[in-house]
Amino acid sequence: MNNDDTQDTETSRPQTPSINSQSYAIPTTYSDHDSIIGDADAEDTTSSSSEDDGDSNEVNSGSITPMDSQSFDAIDSIITDEFNENSTDEFLHETLSLSKNIRTIDNGNDIPPAMVDIPKQIFESLSHAIENVDFSETLALQTRISGTINFKSLELKDLIDKTQGRLQVLNQRYETGVVVSRKLKENLDYSKRKIDEINSFLGTEYPIEFNEARDKILERHFEDND
Amino acid sequence: MSDDTKLIPSSDDPLGINKLAVDYDYLMYKIDDYVQSIQLQTHSICMQHDKVIKEEIIEGIIDKNIAEFKALLESCNELENYFDMLEQISFISDTFRQRLDGICNELKTLKRGKVQRQDLRP
């Protein structure tokens, strides 16, 4: 019963592996398969092959064929006989089939191989191959570049904001400065006119005092300059 | 890869497990090598970007802009000082005008007094 289920799962696997099937084609070693199968239980294998694939006896194609899966099934049946107590565990069953194959490759090493979690090992080796790279230096470099750009961007933004504020203040001060400069010009013109009037009045009315005072002021002016 | 696997006697490896293991290891090696090359390319691109950003963009453009902005702010400070000076000069001219108006008033009173004295003189 369990053998039949295993056969169904084995035969329902995709026959085209992800890697080139030609490179993984089992070479013409079907005599060995046959011997193993013959040693185990010829009736089970022949019955299963006749039930599943009646016309798949062409085993010399050089690629994975349904006959190959039948061979797997035959080996599985052997292992099932040997490890009968674990026959209900399908996952363990599959693991043991691979272990049996390894033992077969080792030319009759009777020590049973240790329990190896093949999917875990494959996953770990794949993870090791993919995650072996160290992007920390690159990430540090990128972080440094990003930090530098951010710092410069913030500095530029701060300067732009500050300059815009200063330009607005200067614009207002220019508006007031124009008014102030007009008023200043008016004051200066007024003062100039008044001073001319005073000078002319004092020069005509009090010429001696005016000249003395002017000389005194000019001398004081030069003394201050010295 | 295939040469190595061909050397394995077929009788020892009926299911091609050894070949599968070798091919799997080679596949892992190739994946590792490819990922390493991606890492190297990423690192070199990052170094190139770092050089371009540092030398051309930051030193060539951004630092220049920052220096120009700082010079502009200095000019703004200078201009603001000139506006302060203008307002102070305007204040001085206002007080000077008031003083001048006071002097004119004194002169007018002096002139008026002189005229009155000449009128009172017999």
Side-chain angles (χ1 to χ4, degrees), chain A residues 21 48 61-62 65-66 73 75 78 90 108 111-112 126 137 141 143 182 193-195 200:
Chain A
S21 64
S48 63
S61 59
T65 60
D73 296 338
I75 295 163
I78 299 163
E90 193 172 326
I111 299 167
L126 262 173
E137 193 179 350
L141 194 63
T143 310
R182 278 182 194 156
R193 199 170 58 245
K194 283 287 178 187
I195 288 168
S200 62

Side-chain angles (χ1 to χ4, degrees), chain B residues 1-13:
Chain B
M1 178 185 74
S2 60
D3 294 337
D4 294 338
T5 54
K6 279 177 184 173
L7 293 174
I8 299 170
S10 60
S11 60
D12 293 343
D13 191 12

Side-chain angles (χ1 to χ4, degrees), chain B residues 92-106:
Chain B
I92 290 167
S93 73
D94 278 340
T95 54
F96 187 73
R97 181 174 175 166
Q98 290 171 5
R99 286 171 61 194
L100 207 60
D101 286 337
I103 290 169
C104 284
N105 289 332
E106 285 180 8

Side-chain angles (χ1 to χ4, degrees), chain B residues 31-43:
Chain B
I31 290 172
D32 191 42
D33 187 49
Y34 187 67
V35 173
Q36 292 280 352
S37 71
I38 288 173
Q39 181 201 358
L40 286 175
Q41 284 179 8
T42 310
H43 188 68

Side-chain angles (χ1 to χ4, degrees), chain A residues 13-26:
Chain A
R13 283 179 181 171
Q15 296 300 316
T16 55
S18 59
I19 312 167
N20 186 10
S21 64
Q22 293 295 327
S23 61
Y24 291 104
I26 298 174

Side-chain angles (χ1 to χ4, degrees), chain B residues 5-6 13 23 29 32 53 67 69 78 93 107 117 121:
Chain B
T5 54
K6 279 177 184 173
D13 191 12
D23 286 351
Y29 166 74
D32 191 42
I53 287 169
F69 269 117
E78 203 174 344
S93 73
L107 269 178
R117 279 201 299 271
R121 196 176 290 173

